[in-house]
Amino acid sequence: MDEVLRLDAVGQAQAVREGLISPRELVEAAIAKIEAHDAEINAVVHPRFERALAELDGLPEGAPFRGVPILVKDLGWGQAGEPYRAGSRTFDGVEVGEDAHAVTSLREAGFVILGRTNTPEFGTTITTEPVAYGPTRNPYDLAYSPGGSSGGSAAAVAAGMVAVATASDGGGSIRIPAGMCGLVGLKPTRGRSSYGPASGEAWSGMSTLGLLSRTVRDTAAVLDLFTGYVHGDPYDAPGLPGPLEAEVGADPGRLRIGFVAEHPREDVPGDPVPAAAVTAAATLLEELGHEVTPSRPEALAEPDFALHFGAIVATNVAAEVENIGRWRGKPVDLAELEPRNQAMARAGRDRSAVDHILALQWIDGFRRRMAAWWADHDVLLAPTLGIQPFPLGWLPPDDLSTAFGRTGPAVAFTSPFNATGQPAISLPLHRTPAGLPVGVQLIAAAGREDLLVRLAAQIEHARPFDHAAMR
């Protein structure tokens, strides 16, 4: 049974179709794995095992992932009749009335949802240590963070509880946990996935839905299920030539790849660990026949980016706090929030509507300045996390100056692409001397997930990913 759980989701679905295992046996094995190991990892904050087992009789016949277990992030992935907490105590008593479009797509594909995964409060930081549920631990070293905000999903997949889990990314929240837990994490193009019907967008369009997996083919096949424009969405991504699953194994051709190992701004401290990961990846890409040169968008060095990005996030946090009060029928006292979100909500409330629009307009210009680089290049290679893996507690919740100061360099290569809306994928290609995973990131022009999947699959074939943390 353990051998089947070590398969990726595509492999598990095939095993079910071929009669090697029944959906019930597969789901029960995944539940047993969670029950055996989650006490030490703390990835699953809302198990729904009994409901999942009861749903097995109604699985759609012929569905591509019939009977395959999955976990969903407890942020942005609403499920009818289930609690929604977003890592916060302020949501106590709130229950979702209808499935998100993306959740409906997973159910129609035959996935069985086993529970909801841990996330930092409102997803506003890069580690998963909410006061409401306690820290999620990295399966590679339990003293270390799995990243955030999709840290619960990443830890569950890395530990082998499920083959895939859903995620979202507003500043690196898919890619950073993927990098820190040795997984594949693709942030799609803005508008590729729908936040409906509950929302039109998240973080003023900077957040997108996605997933975490152990293989490129899982990432492609599962993204195909829930990506696509839904009537009423505020954005629509450029069309793809076909299913992403069909791009796995397709020849990417000889690509023009620029790489940057350290941040171009002199005031952002460098780190030898992510720099070494990028340098090694650049060598691999050269060996695969690509044209690889040191190059990056000039706009990455602009010092005002972090100011405007942070201001937009703060305004959105303030709006979320206001909405929570309406949903639960009682205004939120800021003292109910963790210190980080207290500060962000206050900052957001202090900003005017004009301030918010001006920040968005600055980002509009930044997006165009960044896009110009892709006129002469196909892909940018960069670190995923701008620093080396960090332990739990490294971002002190009561010392915001230290926490925010450390977060800035960490997200230097992720948040810019939330602002531009471009697709980016993190791949597990490096390890620290202590064996902790270090991801590298590939970024393409808007709408070019197909190119990223082709290149990522070529890399995976040449350098198969090692998933040493599986329980």
Side-chain angles (χ1 to χ4, degrees), residues 12 18 23-24 26 105 160 185 316 341 389 392 413 426 466:
Q12 290 179 7
E18 293 177 355
R24 181 168 297 277
L26 181 56
S105 298
N316 277 269
N341 287 316
L392 292 167
F413 294 101
S426 179
D466 177 19

Side-chain angles (χ1 to χ4, degrees), residues 46-392:
H46 297 298
R48 58 183 308 274
F49 301 153
E50 290 185 6
R51 288 190 178 187
L53 290 168
E55 291 166 358
L56 288 172
D57 291 336
L59 292 178
E61 293 293 335
F65 289 94
R66 184 173 179 272
V68 176
I70 193 171
L71 292 163
V72 299
K73 181 180 181 179
D74 193 23
L75 177 67
W77 290 81
Q79 291 173 266
E82 299 290 342
Y84 185 94
R85 298 293 180 266
S88 178
R89 296 166 291 184
T90 60
F91 276 102
D92 283 349
V94 174
E95 191 173 279
V96 176
E98 59 185 335
D99 281 348
H101 292 319
V103 169
T104 298
S105 298
L106 294 177
R107 293 188 190 279
E108 290 175 347
F111 277 109
V112 180
I113 301 172
L114 300 188
R116 302 181 65 80
T117 59
N118 205 7
T119 182
E121 186 177 61
F122 306 155
T124 55
T125 188
I126 60 171
T127 188
T128 302
E129 304 176 51
V131 171
Y133 296 105
T136 296
R137 301 181 179 277
N138 192 319
Y140 282 86
D141 186 328
L142 298 179
Y144 274 73
S145 172
S149 64
S150 306
S153 288
V157 175
M161 298 177 189
V162 289
V164 292
T166 72
S168 58
D169 192 317
S173 291
I174 292 172
R175 292 158 289 159
I176 289 172
M180 294 182 70
C181 291
L183 302 173
V184 177
L186 193 159
K187 180 193 82 68
T189 297
R190 176 176 298 143
R192 186 70 72 199
S193 52
S194 175
Y195 266 99
S199 302
E201 63 179 12
W203 284 14
S204 298
M206 295 193 294
S207 183
T208 58
L209 299 178
L211 69 140
L212 289 151
S213 76
R214 295 193 291 265
T215 63
V216 175
R217 71 174 185 174
D218 267 9
T219 289
V222 180
L223 277 176
D224 280 336
L225 300 175
F226 63 83
T227 54
Y229 180 79
V230 176
H231 185 67
D233 286 346
Y235 310 102
D236 189 10
L240 292 167
L244 288 176
E245 188 175 19
E247 305 294 347
V248 178
D251 184 1
R254 188 170 191 263
L255 302 178
R256 301 164 299 170
I257 300 175
F259 74 92
V260 55
E262 296 184 354
H263 200 282
R265 272 175 46 197
E266 294 182 358
D267 61 322
V268 177
D271 191 304
V273 171
V278 168
T279 301
T283 299
L284 173 60
L285 289 167
E286 278 190 320
E287 293 171 353
L288 291 173
H290 301 291
E291 178 186 339
V292 183
T293 56
S295 179
R296 44 81 179 170
E298 290 294 329
L300 268 179
E302 294 183 5
D304 289 341
F305 169 76
L307 174 67
H308 293 291
F309 181 87
I312 292 168
V313 173
T315 308
N316 277 269
V317 170
E320 181 166 9
V321 170
E322 180 69 20
N323 272 327
I324 294 169
R326 295 176 182 180
W327 293 332
R328 72 181 193 176
K330 182 179 72 173
V332 175
D333 185 332
L334 292 190
E336 298 177 63
L337 306 178
E338 296 179 24
R340 176 187 67 259
N341 287 316
Q342 290 183 32
M344 295 179 78
R346 287 194 186 98
R349 289 177 176 180
D350 288 344
R351 293 177 57 79
S352 69
V354 171
D355 292 334
H356 183 65
I357 295 298
L358 289 174
L360 290 172
Q361 289 175 344
W362 189 94
I363 293 295
D364 288 340
F366 175 78
R367 185 184 308 116
R368 295 186 187 278
R369 294 191 294 277
M370 288 283 283
W373 186 85
W374 272 265
D376 301 312
H377 300 82
D378 298 304
V379 172
L380 176 66
L381 166 66
T384 298
L385 188 67
I387 58 174
Q388 57 191 289
F390 56 86
L392 292 167

